[in-house]
């Protein structure tokens, strides 16, 4: 396991210190600032810096892996990246596009099938598949699309 050494400049320490004291930032940003201050081994570090990830984790009531990740991001990407949360990289494509949504709404506005007083989510999803608008779609997805539309 690699050891990522945190060495902050005097200005960085002052900025992080004021950030944790004011409380005007996001909780995750303040937590990451505390992690960096606690693990600082630079020339301007106070004598109270904690060197091990486990000790910092116990002090801040977080996992040791979080401490390690924040250290790594500081060394690899810089101070600003270490303070901010990482953007999600796993995005799924939408199951139903705008044109398919239009078909769904058109079906909703039409009269319900024979023997029914209204459309159900199951009937709507079955009709979309029968019309070959989509290959498959669950009633829950139909619900989400309609809920979005009000």
């Amino acid at each position: 396991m690699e050891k990522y050494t945190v060495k902050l400049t005097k200005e960085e320490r002052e900025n992080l210190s004021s950030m944790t004291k004011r409380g005007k930032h996001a909780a995750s940003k303040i937590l990451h600032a505390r992690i960096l201050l606690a693990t600082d081994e630079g020339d301007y570090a106070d004598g109270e810096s904690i060197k091990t990830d486990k000790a910092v984790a116990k002090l801040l009531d977080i996992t040791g892996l979080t401490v390690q990740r924040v250290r790594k991001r500081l060394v690899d990407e810089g101070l600003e990246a270490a303070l901010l949360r990482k953007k999600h990289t796993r995005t799924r494509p939408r199951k139903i596009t705008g044109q398919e949504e239009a078909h769904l709404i058109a079906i909703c506005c039409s009269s319900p099938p024979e023997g029914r007083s209204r459309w159900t989510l199951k009937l709507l999803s079955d009709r979309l598949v029968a019309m070959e608008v989509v290959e498959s779609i669950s009633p829950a997805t139909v619900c989400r699309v309609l809920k979005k539309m009000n």
Side-chain angles (χ1 to χ4, degrees):
M1 183 168 90
E2 277 187 63
K3 168 103 168 149
Y4 296 96
T5 307
V6 176
K7 292 189 178 185
L8 300 172
T9 64
K10 188 174 184 176
E11 296 81 30
E12 289 171 339
R13 272 196 76 77
E14 289 170 358
N15 287 341
L16 293 175
S17 208
S18 68
M19 186 184 298
T20 59
K21 290 177 182 159
R22 270 192 262 133
K24 299 272 185 190
H25 299 278
S28 61
K29 197 171 189 176
I30 293 171
L31 179 65
H32 288 195
R34 285 186 174 156
I35 291 169
L36 294 174
L37 287 170
T39 57
D40 184 22
E41 297 177 23
D43 297 334
Y44 301 101
D46 51 6
E48 300 172 20
S49 291
I50 303 167
K51 306 301 186 247
T52 66
D53 291 351
K54 280 186 181 180
V56 173
K58 188 172 183 179
L59 175 74
L60 298 175
D61 197 28
I62 55 175
T63 66
L65 193 57
T66 302
V67 177
Q68 182 184 351
R69 282 191 197 122
V70 172
R71 282 182 180 224
K72 182 179 185 321
R73 286 190 66 193
L74 175 77
V75 172
D76 293 346
E77 302 172 37
L79 180 64
E80 199 57 39
L83 290 176
L84 297 175
R85 293 179 78 165
K86 220 174 196 180
K87 298 278 185 217
H88 290 281
T89 56
R90 248 187 62 198
T91 57
R92 283 184 255 149
R94 292 185 58 177
K95 181 77 174 180
I96 188 166
T97 62
Q99 190 173 11
E100 294 157 346
E101 243 175 59
H103 281 287
L104 173 62
I105 293 167
I107 294 169
C108 287
C109 294
S110 68
S111 57
E114 190 78 24
R116 298 287 186 147
S117 62
R118 68 181 87 182
W119 285 100
T120 65
L121 296 174
K122 177 78 172 128
L123 286 172
L124 289 169
S125 62
D126 289 345
R127 178 63 61 97
L128 284 172
V129 173
M131 291 176 62
E132 296 181 357
V133 175
V134 291
E135 281 185 35
S136 67
I137 189 165
S138 71
T141 304
V142 171
C143 181
R144 269 195 303 278
V145 170
L146 293 175
K147 187 175 184 179
K148 180 184 86 172
M149 304 301 281
N150 282 335

